Amino acid sequence: MELLDIVERIGEAPTAALMGLATGVVFGVAAQRSRFCLRAATVEFARGQMNDKVAVWLLTFSTAVVWVQAAQLLGLMRAEDARMMAVPGSWSGAIIGGLLFGVGMVLAKGCSGRLLVLAATGNLRSVVSGLIFAVVAQMSLQGILSGWRDKLAALWITDGGRNMDLLAVFGLPKWAGLVLGIAIALLALELSRRNRIGVSRLFFASGVGFSVALGWVLTFGLSQVAFDPVQIESATFTGPSAHTLMFFLERDAVLEFDVGLVPGVFIGSFLASFLMKEFKLQGFDGPATMRQAMIGAALMGFGGMLAGGCAIGAGVTGGSIFAGTAWCALFFMWVGAMATDIFLNQPALRAATR
């Protein structure tokens, strides 16, 4: 059955939601099996290590770039049509929001995407943190925090009414993104070899990157056959978490890609953990850990919305199309996370071992 037939049979909005569901399931399975986590990679790097967590993150990021750039060269999508590229980006939002998100994900022991994956495996800490993240994200989008977000984002925006395409800015050919992705992938594979990471984990790590490309290609395909304008987007969890929360709270909420994505990730991660007998109920270690996780989740909710995306949305999805503010946000997420580990976690660990 062709895509147009599906749209004509069930409608554009349900089709978009199904695409989000499919993207989410692939992401959920792959992220759960690969243990992909930006927070873990930044902490490992901050401690002077280049082990499995850094290798897995680099492989996921690079394969997302490779898949997405290859899809562009094949005409399966156009990055310039993506929602992230078609609107002005905020440099100030990327810097401030990236720092806040980086701090928050270390405090919460996982970025928003990782919290969703862990919640599906029975981690109640992630359930609580994820709900706080979604509520604060919605408050930052349309609620009491939206004014602060707008003011901070407006401090410094991109020129020309659009986000910055880094490949175009540096005058690079269209195939340069693919070459860069392959180069980073080779580095990741070398690190994987040194750390003796199994083929299965590498396969699923690349599957996370594939899910990002899948979302881009599916929504672009829908935009070509839909009567109404369709947002070309892929995996991200700040906006979708807020939208999914409101979908279940509002009577007149409508289906969209975002509303399918979040349940899809949960379903995929749950199935993967259940089938591999890794599903296990877990809670907070104590009041201090709970307070820290709640503060971290709130920082991620506001920071992710301000930065224009979370560790997945900006760090991988936006990075794969070379959106300028996405790369900026990713850099400052690393900075914020590493600083938090260096100045907060590492001294505590040293004190505990004395």
Side-chain angles (χ1 to χ4, degrees):
M1 182 180 295
E2 294 185 359
L3 179 58
L4 182 59
D5 296 329
I6 298 175
V7 172
E8 291 178 345
R9 178 168 297 187
I10 67 174
E12 295 172 8
T15 301
L18 282 177
M19 289 177 170
L21 184 70
T23 301
V25 169
V26 174
F27 182 98
V29 171
Q32 197 279 330
R33 298 308 307 146
S34 66
R35 300 191 293 279
F36 164 78
C37 180
L38 176 61
R39 193 275 310 177
T42 56
V43 168
E44 189 175 82
F45 190 78
R47 298 178 184 181
Q49 303 167 353
M50 294 284 282
N51 296 334
D52 63 311
K53 297 175 180 62
V54 173
V56 166
W57 187 87
L58 284 174
L59 185 61
T60 293
F61 178 80
S62 61
T63 51
V65 173
V66 169
W67 283 110
V68 171
Q69 293 299 310
Q72 283 205 102
L73 293 174
L74 293 173
L76 298 177
M77 69 157 289
R78 290 194 301 266
E80 59 266 26
D81 294 343
R83 178 176 62 177
M84 186 178 294
M85 296 296 291
V87 298
S90 170
W91 294 116
S92 55
I95 295 169
I96 301 170
L99 287 171
L100 291 175
F101 192 96
V103 173
M105 71 178 178
V106 173
L107 294 177
K109 297 187 183 301
C111 71
S112 50
R114 182 62 178 168
L115 292 180
L116 180 58
V117 170
L118 289 177
T121 68
N123 191 311
L124 301 179
R125 168 181 58 81
S126 295
V127 173
V128 173
S129 299
L131 286 173
I132 293 172
F133 168 79
V135 170
V136 175
Q138 178 61 28
M139 291 168 62
S140 305
L141 179 64
Q142 296 178 329
I144 194 171
L145 297 176
S146 61
W148 283 100
R149 177 183 63 85
D150 291 340
K151 290 178 181 178
L152 292 173
L155 292 176
W156 185 15
I157 62 174
T158 55
D159 298 326
R162 293 177 58 88
N163 208 328
M164 177 183 289
D165 182 341
L166 293 178
L167 296 180
V169 168
F170 290 104
L172 298 174
K174 292 183 178 180
W175 47 262
L178 177 61
V179 172
L180 179 60
I182 293 173
I184 300 174
L186 292 175
L187 171 62
L189 290 173
E190 175 59 21
L191 288 176
S192 301
R193 184 191 65 80
R194 293 181 183 181
N195 290 285
R196 299 181 179 179
I197 301 176
V199 174
S200 175
R201 190 177 178 190
L202 294 178
F203 172 79
F204 285 111
S206 64
V208 179
F210 174 77
S211 70
V212 170
L214 179 64
W216 284 127
V217 170
L218 288 177
T219 55
F220 177 76
L222 179 60
S223 73
Q224 301 303 295
V225 300
F227 178 78
D228 295 321
V230 172
Q231 292 182 337
I232 301 171
E233 54 191 321
S234 188
T236 184
F237 296 104
T238 309
S241 294
H243 295 158
T244 304
L245 175 67
M246 298 311 296
F247 178 80
F248 291 107
L249 295 178
E250 293 183 342
R251 181 185 299 271
D252 299 325
V254 296
L255 286 170
E256 55 185 337
F257 180 88
D258 290 357
V259 175
L261 177 70
V262 173
V265 173
F266 191 92
I267 292 169
S269 179
F270 170 77
L271 290 174
S273 64
F274 182 79
L275 294 174
M276 299 305 294
K277 299 181 179 180
E278 295 179 355
F279 183 88
K280 180 182 178 182
L281 292 178
Q282 303 174 62
F284 289 99
D285 298 330
T289 304
M290 184 174 184
R291 286 193 298 270
Q292 198 174 73
M294 293 172 69
I295 293 171
L299 289 174
M300 284 195 296
F302 182 75
M305 194 61 71
L306 176 59
C310 61
I312 305 299
V316 180
T317 300
S320 69
I321 60 172
F322 290 88
T325 57
W327 280 69
C328 179
L330 175 61
F331 174 78
F332 282 98
M333 286 176 191
W334 275 81
V335 172
M338 291 175 61
T340 305
D341 183 68
I342 291 170
F343 295 110
L344 181 65
N345 289 352
Q346 291 185 29
L349 287 175
R350 288 193 293 268
T353 57
R354 289 174 184 171

